[in-house]
Amino acid sequence: MSFADQADRTIATLALTPGWARLQALRPDCDNVIVATMLDAAAGFAETVLAPLNAVGDRVGAQVADSRVVLPPGFVEGFRQYAEAGWLGIDAPAAFGGQDVPLTLQAACAPLFDRGCMALMMAAGATRGAIHLLAQTADAATAAEWGPQLVSGEWAATICISEPEAGSDIGRIRTKAQRRDGHWSITGQKIWISYGSHDLASRIGHCLLARTNDRPGTRGLSLFLVPDHIGGAPNGVTLERIEEKLGLHGSPTCAMRFRDARAILLGEEGRGLPQLFAMIEPMRLHTGCQGLGLASAAADIAEDYATQRRQGGRPDVAPPTIGSHPDVIRQLHDIRSATEILRAAVLELATAMDLARLEADAGLADFAAWMLPLIKTFGAETGFDTAHAAIQVLGGAGYVRDYPLEQYLRDARVMAVYEGTTGMQALDFLTRRLWRDEGRGLAVFLRQARAELAAAAPSGRAQAVGIVLDGFEALSARMLAMQADPDAALYRADSYMRAGWTAVSAWMAFRLGADEAIGILAARHALHSARCA
């Protein structure tokens, strides 16, 4: 398997992405030579520094010692090297000591790092999200204190939302924040906190939602930064336990207790949840990158194995490689197609998010918001599904630990759960992106996809994708009309989101010239549309 090949595929896909050409025109510091050099360096770092940690992290796992998490051998040094090389702050503001490159380049490099060691990169993902959150919501003093320390990796951060009785139902959060002696104090319990405790950094800041008033639901929630230590002294933040999990053994998932912990209010009181999306959105994009990293590795393993493993054929001659068997050819095609379509879609979203910040085009922001639940959901599913399919190619060899596929499968499973479950993403895609936004992001998607079809020479594949787009537009009109019967609409939300992904995938397949995939996607779109009937 080749990290360098993954970097080359990313560069080639960027060149096919229309938004990337526009972004390069706005950011001349991101010319092709610089981008190729950066991706080459990322591939080398991921292969030589991160990848050797992956099996160790899975085998040893995170441990608790003296009321603190101790990470597997090599993790602390790997994280230090990652931060010192500038990867942690690659898209962070220059004011924090970051490189301030476009998000697209970060999204191009991240799958390489997650392919190397996803468990360690869970820490980097939360800290990156906190950097963006503080840049948007923190007061000047807090931003100046925390931003550079997070970028350097000296300090780290978490996102603290879930509680025992409040998972996806955020409005039921009971952790309380009270104003005492001129400062805020936090009391409550948080669970499912990735890297809530660890020995990577000397200080951890918890980006936490807590209730500051008696208003029901999310309206009573405010956002805080809660340091685990202040002035070198403990700040009422303790580790209760770490979870025993199916995968990601090197990434500690913690239950945390806060007892009168001093906190810093971020942004406006009572607007905690909407403000937190400055952190949630890059983390959801990162989920797509995680899935892409694992899918890229799984595809490479399956392809490499198929060129070496010999089975079948006439008994009187040497057996052929299994890569020559028609059914294996089909399996490899499906694995590679799904991986490259996801790669194209991740880069499409990242460029849209960059352009939405650089240009006064509200439509791009709507389009990015529309794409985000798709990338989060189907990045997660593609990571899992490709590992599953690659195991099938290898047969018994894929099921044992001689190959990392079984670890990829276990590690990937949680991606469809954290950062908003698949069901939550489907509700968002229907009720917010179609109903509340009145289909504005959908309209941009259809306009851009049809413009790309129109710019190409007429062909049967362009016609086939056009039919898918027309079908999804008609389906969206029917789902828009179902607001009068919300229960019936919500029952169909998952199928509607899947129809949306097949439409996006058909667009990306056209861009990549993946003709066979277009026919398969058209059939899938018809199935998902039928389930919405």
Side-chain angles (χ1 to χ4, degrees):
M1 58 182 174
S2 170
F3 286 80
D5 177 67
Q6 182 179 330
D8 290 343
R9 288 178 182 274
T10 301
I11 292 170
T13 305
L14 271 175
L16 297 173
T17 306
W20 174 242
R22 175 59 183 159
L23 185 57
Q24 283 187 301
L26 296 171
R27 289 290 302 265
D29 57 325
C30 296
D31 62 49
N32 291 336
V33 173
I34 291 175
V35 172
T37 301
M38 182 174 293
L39 278 164
D40 180 66
F45 184 89
E47 185 169 18
T48 60
V49 178
L50 298 178
L53 303 175
N54 199 45
V56 175
D58 184 59
R59 185 178 65 253
V60 176
Q63 308 289 332
V64 176
D66 297 326
S67 301
R68 188 183 186 190
V69 171
V70 176
L71 295 174
F75 269 45
V76 172
E77 177 62 17
F79 189 77
R80 183 192 64 78
Q81 291 185 48
Y82 179 81
E84 287 183 352
W87 298 119
L88 188 55
I90 185 174
D91 61 330
F96 288 177
Q99 299 181 50
D100 202 22
V101 305
L103 175 63
T104 302
L105 288 184
Q106 195 282 329
C109 294
L112 290 160
F113 301 138
D114 285 304
R115 173 181 181 154
C117 187
M118 180 179 161
L120 180 55
M121 289 299 98
M122 291 287 291
T127 297
R128 267 194 65 249
I131 290 168
H132 289 286
L133 176 67
L134 295 178
Q136 293 190 34
T137 63
D139 61 81
T142 301
E145 180 187 13
W146 279 84
Q149 296 280 18
L150 292 176
V151 168
S152 71
E154 293 296 322
W155 297 352
T158 73
I159 181 170
C160 290
I161 301 177
S162 296
E163 300 180 5
E165 302 302 324
S168 298
D169 192 358
I170 294 175
R172 298 188 185 277
I173 283 177
R174 294 188 292 186
T175 295
K176 289 191 175 182
Q178 295 179 303
R179 191 81 170 164
R180 294 177 179 171
D181 301 324
H183 66 265
W184 289 96
S185 178
I186 305 289
T187 297
Q189 184 187 28
K190 296 290 182 178
I191 59 173
W192 314 124
I193 310 306
S194 295
Y195 281 86
S197 172
H198 57 79
D199 54 353
L200 294 177
S202 61
R203 198 181 192 193
I204 302 172
H206 301 283
C207 301
L208 179 147
L209 285 177
R211 192 165 296 283
T212 53
N213 59 55
D214 294 329
R215 299 181 70 185
T218 62
R219 292 174 295 176
L221 299 177
S222 298
L223 180 61
F224 296 90
L225 177 65
V226 186
D228 64 344
H229 289 79
I230 294 179
N235 185 36
V237 181
T238 56
L239 170 70
E240 293 193 320
R241 68 178 185 277
I242 58 174
E243 307 295 347
E244 298 292 334
K245 308 191 299 293
L246 175 69
L248 287 182
H249 296 154
S251 172
T253 301
C254 304
M256 308 295 297
R257 178 70 64 176
F258 298 82
R259 293 183 176 87
D260 294 325
R262 190 162 181 166
I264 302 165
L265 178 67
L266 298 176
E268 300 177 37
E269 184 180 349
R271 288 188 49 79
L273 182 57
Q275 291 172 163
L276 188 59
F277 271 87
M279 187 174 187
I280 291 174
E281 288 182 356
M283 292 180 73
R284 285 182 174 172
L285 172 60
H286 184 214
T287 302
C289 293
Q290 291 173 320
L292 177 56
L294 296 187
S296 297
D300 283 354
I301 292 172
E303 289 169 350
D304 289 348
Y305 186 85
T307 65
Q308 299 170 24
R309 175 65 166 165
R310 294 184 175 274
Q311 287 283 279
R314 290 170 46 190
D316 57 337
V317 297
T321 62
I322 64 171
S324 65
H325 298 331
D327 187 58
V328 175
I329 293 172
R330 174 193 61 79
Q331 293 178 66
L332 295 175
H333 173 271
D334 290 348
I335 291 169
R336 179 55 70 184
S337 294
T339 300
E340 299 312 314
I341 285 169
L342 176 60
R343 192 184 319 281
V346 164
L347 295 174
E348 177 67 29
L349 171 58
T351 55
M353 293 173 76
D354 277 326
L355 291 171
R357 287 193 286 264
L358 293 171
E359 298 186 310
D361 183 350
L364 282 176
D366 290 329
F367 170 68
W370 183 85
M371 280 282 286
L372 197 58
L374 297 177
I375 294 300
K376 190 278 173 189
T377 298
F378 297 102
E381 292 196 2
T382 301
F384 181 83
D385 291 346
T386 51
H388 175 272
I391 289 174
Q392 196 68 21
V393 171
L394 272 66
Y399 190 68
V400 299
R401 291 187 176 180
D402 292 351
Y403 290 86
L405 291 174
E406 59 85 25
Q407 182 189 342
Y408 294 159
L409 187 80
R410 290 183 286 105
D411 287 352
R413 183 59 186 89
V414 73
M415 293 188 295
V417 176
Y418 60 45
E419 306 308 329
T421 64
T422 298
M424 298 299 294
Q425 300 301 320
L427 294 180
D428 177 68
F429 190 67
L430 173 65
T431 64
R432 292 189 177 91
R433 304 311 154 202
L434 181 66
W435 292 356
R436 189 192 67 184
D437 294 352
E438 299 177 325
R440 293 189 299 272
L442 166 66
V444 176
F445 157 64
L446 292 170
R447 183 174 70 246
Q448 293 189 160
R450 285 168 172 157
E452 200 164 327
L453 298 181
S459 64
R461 63 191 184 96
Q463 183 179 13
V465 175
I467 291 171
V468 171
L469 297 177
D470 292 345
F472 184 63
E473 183 176 27
L475 173 61
S476 297
R478 295 200 303 272
M479 296 301 293
L480 191 62
M482 289 187 71
Q483 293 181 74
D485 190 359
D487 285 348
L490 296 179
Y491 182 85
R492 294 162 172 79
D494 180 82
S495 294
Y496 175 62
M497 179 174 65
R498 293 179 187 280
W501 176 243
T502 57
V504 169
S505 296
W507 175 28
M508 295 297 105
F510 177 82
R511 179 179 294 175
L512 297 171
D515 293 2
E516 183 179 339
I518 291 173
I520 295 171
L521 290 164
R524 288 179 186 169
H525 188 271
L527 173 63
H528 296 313
S529 296
R531 287 177 173 169
C532 289

